[in-house]
Amino acid sequence: MKKILVLVGLSCAFFFGCGDDGDDSKKVDDDTCVSVYCDESGLLEQPAIGVRDGSGKTVITVDGYQFKDSNGNGSLDAYEDWRLSVSERAEDLVARMTANEKAGFINAPSASGMTTTTGSLKNDDGTWIETNSGYTSITTLFRRFGMITLSSSDQPARIATYNNSLNEICEGVLREDGSTGLGIPFVTCTNPTHGTNSNSTSLISAWPYAIGLGAITDPSVIEKYASTVRAELTALGIRSYYGPLADIATEPRWGRQNETFGSSPERVASFSTIVVRALQGGNSLKPGGIVCAIKHFPGHGAQWRGYDSHYKMGQYVVNPGDNFDMHIAPFEKVFREVAPAACMPCYAIYQDQPFEKVSPGYNAEIMNDLGRDQLGFTGYYTSDWGIFGLGGSLTAPPSAATFAAWGVEGLSLEEKIGKAMDAGMDQLGGHGSIMDIISALSYGYLSEKTLDRACVNILKGYFTMGLFENPYVDVDAATAICNTEESQAAGLDAMHKSIVMVKNSDTLPAASGISIYYDGTVDGSDAAQATFINETYGATVETDITQADIAVIRINGPAHGRYYPNEPTFLGYLGPSSRSLQFLDEDPDVQYGGSYTVDYTDALGNVHYGVMLSTNIDQYEKVMNAKKEIIDAGASTKLVVLVNADRPLVMKEFIDYVDAAFLTFGASDQAVLDILFSKDGLKPTGVLPFEIPSSDDQVEAQLEDLRDDTSNPLYKAGYSLTY
């Protein structure tokens, strides 16, 4: 049976000279310890060393310390010597890599190959499944990075086993000429996954999505969130994170506000800093930490009219209010205070700024002059996905279709790669081919020096996290750490604190003993929900809305998704027709998908002429139908609406018809009910993370880069009610 050798529990006095005699003999360079394995007094600390049986690699001892012989030559080479600085180690390793190894290393495609039930990439006899795409991506495409998507079928042991398998392959894989490989480990990455909008699995704990965290006023909740994310992801073996978003949500129509911390630049900067610090393990990346790729530099919130930058009409960020400095301020704070190991530039061209009119991923003035020289960024740049084209293999280039390569559409694929990397790009997001990178080298569009720089920059993160010493995780520990009762309770607490009450006409909190109609599913079925509500809150569940004291309707905000005319879809996604924040768009955008107009009569007989209905018009109708039932029956039922808001919405269409209203941002039914019934004294404490406009006309008149600037908002940012 294959096993991992881990050296731990080494004597402090034996290795570190930290007995009563104060021996400093293990300090490096006369009191200057350059290793990441230094304690606070400057003494070296022996890290755990992980080696798999059968990989051909061993542990060697030099000067009383243990090291992993990653290339199997029996000697301690500089990149294997954890006593050295990460820069020295990275430069030594890159000098040993072939062109193919370098080209594969800078790619950041999706991770692949987790097709087995257990996550192991081995046959029953212990040999590798050599046809598995996870195996071939390492052995023939030279990949050492992949983005992983967690699904509802996943369990912690499966993900941990998969990541261990990838690293075991990397440890033992041979080079192209049949010689022993370099033992470069594999890193899997994920987008923010713990918010309920992206968390489709019980694998990890559920929290409000980012905009819900932005509705919370207590920074300690954000610290708990980030520390939980780090604990769960590292337990799974996931060591890179595309986040947090330090974008400020200033354009109400923009479709990605749910991924931000809201419209307050101070809160965005503060919460982004908290998250990066917690995930990476301190004010810079530490062993055992996670690489954070903060995004989308230099600030993505001022999208022209809110259009999606994956599409041509969304190719510009604009600054009609001359407010660019506010948008870069969170990035500067994060760069200077917590030194993130990575940064992801956005897709869009910065139309009103004195930069070259190309996407930031191709822009030296943004990445180098602004990011590095002015704001102090010291990590590596990783591109947003697909700006070079999607797909590809060892022998075939990516698809000719290139998404969001704004300003450089006329360049060949090799020219795009060369331009981006010359401008400062290090890692190619969503890319998987090495052939085009090698072609860019051979044609002179990309220099070997630039390719080496990119590899060094990325490798610094690998070395700092300690992956060359031990990339493996404890599979059993993953199960014990992920989605514990403690983390579930912390996520529920955050949901409580994220709920924002905006209206209450002597309706709430609900008292024990009332009857309630509840439009939700707490525990998988109507019967289970009724039992839960009765046993937990002392209320009786009514199925007839007119017989209930309180009726609670849960809806999602309006969505105007359309496939845009004459525009390629991005990975098959519907893009939001971002102009309208109403369920009934009174002034449809004919140019971009707004030609689907009707005359519409709602449940209360109100006629709306020439409107474009939201694609989820049924959400609006749930509220209006409920109100009609109550009116027609002459009932005294109080109507409460809870809107799950992923961006601002215009609430005028229904707000006057309800007795109480809440905005939620990824809150479970239990969290909502706890607040409605004031369980254990709970009260709504969340504040609006953005303003709620009064009309589409006011949204149209506001400026994309100014925060909360509609002329007469229904509710201002920061607004809240409580009991």
Side-chain angles (χ1 to χ4, degrees), residues 92-114:
D92 178 74
L93 177 56
V94 171
R96 301 170 187 271
M97 295 169 70
T98 66
N100 281 350
E101 287 170 338
K102 295 173 187 177
F105 183 73
I106 66 170
N107 283 335
S110 294
S112 57
M114 192 173 57

Side-chain angles (χ1 to χ4, degrees), residues 468-485:
F468 276 83
E469 281 63 66
N470 183 20
Y472 302 109
V473 295
D474 184 327
V475 173
D476 293 333
T479 300
I481 291 170
C482 291
N483 203 17
T484 63
E485 290 185 6

Side-chain angles (χ1 to χ4, degrees), residues 710-723:
T710 60
S711 59
N712 184 31
L714 181 65
Y715 303 114
K716 293 183 178 180
Y719 179 81
S720 66
L721 297 175
T722 191
Y723 304 144

Side-chain angles (χ1 to χ4, degrees), residues 607-682:
V607 182
H608 308 267
Y609 295 99
V611 297
M612 184 174 77
L613 306 181
S614 68
T615 55
N616 61 342
I617 189 64
D618 63 303
Q619 301 295 290
Y620 168 73
E621 290 173 339
K622 281 169 64 174
V623 178
M624 302 306 280
N625 288 336
K627 188 64 178 179
K628 184 176 189 303
E629 283 189 61
I630 294 168
I631 292 173
D632 288 351
S636 58
T637 306
K638 298 287 189 177
L639 183 58
V640 179
V641 65
L642 297 104
V643 185
N644 186 49
D646 60 359
R647 59 177 176 169
L649 71 156
V650 174
M651 301 175 70
K652 70 174 185 180
E653 296 161 317
F654 60 83
I655 193 66
D656 290 339
Y657 298 111
V658 303
D659 299 286
F662 292 81
L663 269 71
T664 65
F665 310 95
S668 67
D669 286 294
Q670 181 180 346
V672 165
L673 287 163
D674 286 348
I675 293 294
L676 293 180
F677 283 92
S678 194
K679 184 175 181 287
D680 298 327
L682 286 171

